[in-house]
Amino acid sequence: MSGAEREAIVVIDFGSQYSLLIARRIRELQVYCELVTHDTPWEKIAHLNPKGFILSGGPASVYETDAPLAPAYVYENHLPVMGICYGMQLLTKQLGGIVEPVAEREYGHTILQLSDPDSPLFNELPVSSPVWMSHGDRIEEMPPGFRALAYTENSPVAVMGNDSGIFGLQFHPEVVHTPYGTTILKNFAYKICGCQGNWTMGNFVNDSLARIKEQVGNGRVINALSGGVDSSVVATLIHRAIGDQLTCIFVNNGLLRREEAERTLTIFRKNLGMNIIYVDASDRFLNSLNGITDPETKRKVIGKDFIHVFEEEASKLGKVDFLAQGTLYPDVIESTSSVSTASAKIKTHHNVGGLPSDMTFKLLEPLRYLFKDEVRQVGLELGLPDEMVWRQPFPGPGLAIRTIGEVTRDKLEVLRSADWIVMNEIKKAKMYRQLWQSFAILTDVKSVGVMGDFRTYGYLIAIRAVTSNDAMTADWARLPYDLLARISNRIVNEVPKVNRVVYDITSKPPSTIEWE
Ligand code: XMP
């Protein structure tokens, strides 16, 4: 996109758990959207050419003394504004209205009745429809110049607006529980802010190719290729821009799944013609893991080994200017947002991108502003095979955190065979894409079984399959019984030393997706 065409909606974040979701929804409407903290100065966002602002919800109450405020430019620039929940209460207060606590917190579904169905915000909306509420304060008196556009049973002012394109919504249009929420957001973006909708992945790719060429010049770039979606898309995009100035380092840590290394190499080296250094460091990793049973220690050992191997290989290349990383927008937000409810980090996540701070490369992060689903679209745009684009996430420490207790070559082989069956059966049942992750775990439980006339004492394999949007929460997948039966039969018949299979029926929280 050239500078002239650039357009964006900026979400000012007051810490709602849904803030990032607002940005996603707007982007799904093909309008670029960024989330910024409420204390972000205008100079930091002017380059986006904002066409409007959305004030997010948040946990505060506007009448608390230190309640976060919307920056002055939100009102001074005469651009459209939509305040959602806390955002609505905030603009009420800042523009001279009155907000009061409600006797009883309103939470959940309620019916929105339009009192002004002709408002452009309500284009293609029925006069009554369900919306999702979650608030403890409400508008007692609207600011001067505003009128009520819709109401609910408990909120006489569920939507308000003025003639300058400033709107307040007491409910959350960004959540799926508000079925016409996307229509409202679309009306705001297109009819009120006048956006054109030029945020497409085709535009993104063209734009990125030019930017990468300009940023890298004649420099050299290295990338840690893991075969996961993010690192694969980063590598392909950069390769498309600068060809052989990119070298990828692919470390086999001995903790990959069956055929994983071979398949990744075939795609990138053979099919895409990339410069790839393949290092089989399995022995090193497995030796380091010898005798270790604690999950966090496993992660640390694997992370340390990875950095060593990567540094060793990188230093053989001579002068390298840039390190490419598959950082995505949610990571950026999590590390910059002061108010966002970043989830507690329960496990130290070792990502192949997490490299030492004393490395002197400049960072090249072309996916820094993308959501995961956008990364997949970019992958498709670049012609990556479906197998790569739709790959389920796989943790950096690999099978080490799915082998409970000590990790040995023998146990890894058992797990690989079981995992292979799970993956193939899930794919055959055409469920692979709809599951966030599906895999096998080798527990350190042994149990008694009987096979033919013999008593066995073998391993217990657990199957985990979950649905999720972002891995922060997950639900166990209701896999069909006959699929579970096939997986179980095949595992006990085809994988030696396994005589029992169980299915994990816990959600996250209270469990996690991985077992370690
Ligand atoms: P949990 O188990 O915390 O996992 O619910 C959430 C998501 O993160 C992945 N995961 C990891 N990824 N290094 C990674 O690169 C790790 O150490 C790690 N631990 C968990 C997990 O597969 C899931 O997608």
Side-chain angles (χ1 to χ4, degrees):
M1 262 171 283
S2 69
E5 292 168 281
R6 189 176 274 273
E7 61 176 24
I9 288 183
V10 173
V11 179
I12 312 275
D13 182 18
F14 294 98
S16 157
Q17 57 176 319
Y18 303 128
S19 297
L20 208 54
L21 196 55
I22 305 173
R24 272 179 68 168
R25 292 278 172 270
I26 298 287
R27 294 231 202 140
E28 281 161 14
L29 297 166
Q30 302 200 327
V31 172
Y32 187 65
C33 184
E34 276 193 25
L35 182 69
V36 301
T37 52
H38 58 89
D39 51 2
T40 305
W42 172 248
E43 297 70 53
K44 286 219 167 142
I45 58 168
H47 69 281
L48 297 172
N49 190 19
K51 297 281 187 193
F53 294 100
I54 294 181
L55 311 179
S56 85
S61 269
V62 291
Y63 43 79
E64 285 168 7
T65 42
D66 50 358
L69 299 178
Y73 59 76
V74 165
Y75 306 112
E76 287 167 357
N77 277 351
H78 302 293
L79 290 170
V81 182
M82 174 189 273
I84 296 175
C85 201
Y86 177 82
M88 176 200 210
Q89 292 144 16
L90 191 61
L91 65 84
T92 301
K93 186 178 167 212
Q94 288 187 294
L95 298 176
I98 296 172
V99 178
E100 294 286 349
V102 280
E104 212 173 299
R105 195 178 166 80
E106 200 179 0
Y107 185 83
H109 269 129
T110 182
I111 298 295
L112 182 76
Q113 304 284 354
L114 307 187
S115 36
D116 182 358
D118 295 330
S119 165
L121 195 64
F122 298 149
N123 188 42
E124 294 182 359
L125 222 70
V127 278
S128 104
S129 64
V131 294
W132 182 260
M133 290 280 196
S134 170
H135 64 112
D137 296 340
R138 74 171 189 193
I139 312 305
E140 273 316 305
E141 199 180 304
M142 287 179 280
F146 279 76
R147 35 197 197 93
L149 305 176
Y151 60 93
T152 67
E153 194 181 343
N154 290 317
S155 298
V157 187
V159 180
M160 64 178 192
N162 71 3
D163 292 336
S164 318
I166 303 186
F167 295 91
L169 271 60
Q170 190 59 81
F171 58 90
H172 288 273
E174 68 277 24
V175 302
V176 286
H177 316 290
T178 301
Y180 286 92
T182 305
T183 312
I184 296 175
L185 292 173
K186 185 174 173 190
N187 290 334
F188 179 68
Y190 285 85
K191 296 210 174 292
I192 291 162
C193 300
C195 292
Q196 304 293 315
N198 56 15
W199 176 245
T200 65
M201 292 306 106
N203 283 340
F204 171 83
V205 168
N206 290 335
D207 203 29
S208 299
L209 294 178
R211 242 200 329 257
I212 294 167
K213 277 188 199 147
E214 190 189 318
Q215 197 182 345
V216 174
N218 294 321
R220 286 186 74 189
V221 182
I222 51 168
N223 167 241
L225 186 68
S226 69
V229 183
D230 307 342
S231 84
S232 301
V233 172
V234 166
T236 314
L237 189 62
I238 297 176
H239 182 251
R240 173 85 58 98
I242 57 164
D244 282 348
Q245 285 166 260
L246 169 72
T247 305
C248 295
I249 299 176
F250 178 35
V251 179
N252 184 343
N253 57 11
L255 303 164
L256 302 177
R257 291 161 295 183
R258 188 181 284 177
E259 290 187 9
E260 194 161 8
E262 298 82 346
R263 280 176 185 231
T264 308
L265 279 180
T266 305
I267 292 174
F268 291 97
R269 199 183 257 169
K270 262 197 171 157
N271 302 2
L272 296 171
M274 279 188 208
N275 234 334
I276 298 190
I277 297 175
Y278 171 67
V279 195
D280 185 352
S282 309
D283 287 342
R284 177 182 186 137
F285 282 85
L286 296 182
N287 288 341
S288 305
L289 284 168
N290 213 345
I292 293 176
T293 54
D294 175 62
E296 286 303 277
T297 316
K298 284 183 185 175
R299 281 189 172 80
K300 286 198 185 104
V301 164
I302 295 166
K304 221 166 109 198
D305 270 355
F306 180 81
I307 287 165
H308 267 125
V309 175
F310 190 83
E311 273 181 329
E312 243 166 61
E313 292 305 320
S315 67
K316 292 181 196 159
L317 291 173
K319 185 170 169 343
V320 172
D321 310 274
F322 293 90
L323 173 70
Q325 288 197 329
T327 315
L328 302 195
Y329 196 46
D331 311 327
V332 174
I333 292 297
E334 202 172 297
S335 60
T336 55
S337 173
S338 56
V339 284
S340 260
T341 47
S343 70
K345 285 207 179 60
I346 294 167
K347 298 168 182 175
T348 52
H349 279 199
H350 152 71
N351 279 310
V352 285
L355 288 165
S357 51
D358 58 349
M359 279 194 160
T360 53
F361 310 121
K362 283 173 260 177
L363 286 183
L364 189 60
E365 298 177 310
L367 311 182
R368 208 179 148 74
Y369 291 100
L370 296 193
F371 289 109
K372 188 88 177 183
D373 45 339
E374 293 174 324
V375 173
R376 290 206 160 101
Q377 293 306 322
V378 171
L380 292 173
E381 199 68 47
L382 291 168
L384 278 174
D386 274 12
E387 177 196 347
M388 202 94 251
V389 170
W390 296 105
R391 227 181 76 139
Q392 293 175 352
F394 183 63
L399 300 183
I401 56 167
R402 294 180 182 171
T403 305
I404 311 305
E406 191 182 358
V407 182
T408 64
R409 283 178 191 278
D410 279 355
K411 284 165 89 180
L412 284 171
E413 259 327 293
V414 172
L415 178 56
R416 274 194 191 104
S417 305
D419 191 69
W420 181 255
I421 292 169
V422 175
M423 173 140 68
N424 282 304
E425 287 298 331
I426 296 272
K427 282 187 174 169
K428 253 199 281 175
K430 303 218 175 322
M431 295 197 72
Y432 183 80
R433 274 198 206 177
Q434 71 202 65
L435 298 173
W436 174 263
Q437 278 169 299
S438 45
F439 54 89
I441 300 111
L442 179 59
T443 71
D444 61 353
V445 171
K446 281 192 153 186
S447 73
V448 174
V450 56
M451 239 178 199
D453 292 333
F454 297 98
R455 176 185 179 278
T456 58
Y457 188 56
Y459 284 122
L460 171 67
I461 285 280
I463 311 295
R464 183 85 165 128
V466 295
T467 52
S468 173
N469 283 323
D470 52 12
M472 308 285 249
T473 60
D475 196 8
W476 61 278
R478 277 37 170 193
L479 295 184
Y481 282 173
D482 54 350
L483 172 60
L484 286 168
R486 260 197 317 278
I487 291 174
S488 164
N489 276 337
R490 282 195 59 193
I491 291 177
V492 289
N493 283 318
E494 297 173 31
V495 185
K497 302 184 196 161
V498 176
N499 66 356
R500 196 179 293 268
V501 176
V502 294
Y503 186 48
D504 181 349
I505 52 165
T506 32
S507 295
K508 172 185 180 176
S511 290
T512 51
I513 297 175
E514 303 292 344
W515 273 35
E516 286 200 335

